[in-house]
Amino acid sequence: MTKQDCVVYRIPCECRIVYIGGTGRPIRDRIKEHDRDFRRTQTSAVSEHARNTGHYPLWDEVFIDLDAHWYTHGGSKR
């Protein structure tokens, strides 16, 4: 996993649903937060889906798009 920041990322689920997110922070940190939310049943779209369906995110298949201008088209700063 890259240390790149300002990216758009895609987290697939085993059921073929895909979560799309964006961050201005290092992607490694953001993915770790999603994984931690999943494990601790915190609220995020990824963890909520997993909790409600019993499906698991495919962390090894996260796709990262280097997009230095993600914030100009609707990205959040989380």
Side-chain angles (χ1 to χ4, degrees), residues 35-53:
D35 185 42
R36 186 175 52 238
D37 288 349
F38 171 73
R39 293 173 191 279
R40 294 182 184 169
T41 65
Q42 298 293 317
T43 302
S44 76
V46 175
S47 63
E48 186 175 333
H49 173 74
R51 211 173 30 256
N52 291 338
T53 64

Side-chain angles (χ1 to χ4, degrees), residues 4 7 10-13 17 26 29 34 37 39 42-43 47 50-52 56 58 62 67-69 74-75:
Q4 181 70 35
V7 299
R10 175 185 179 272
I11 302 172
C13 178
I17 286 178
D29 295 344
H34 279 298
D37 288 349
R39 293 173 191 279
Q42 298 293 317
T43 302
S47 63
R51 211 173 30 256
N52 291 338
Y56 292 95
L58 303 175
V62 171
D67 182 359
H69 302 288

Side-chain angles (χ1 to χ4, degrees), residues 13-25:
C13 178
E14 64 185 7
C15 69
R16 297 185 177 245
I17 286 178
V18 175
Y19 173 82
I20 305 290
T23 185
R25 298 182 5 244

Side-chain angles (χ1 to χ4, degrees), residues 4-9 21-25 64-77:
Q4 181 70 35
D5 56 8
C6 295
V7 299
V8 174
Y9 56 91
T23 185
R25 298 182 5 244
I64 300 164
D65 182 14
L66 305 179
D67 182 359
H69 302 288
W70 64 273
Y71 54 86
T72 62
H73 44 85
S76 69
K77 291 198 174 192

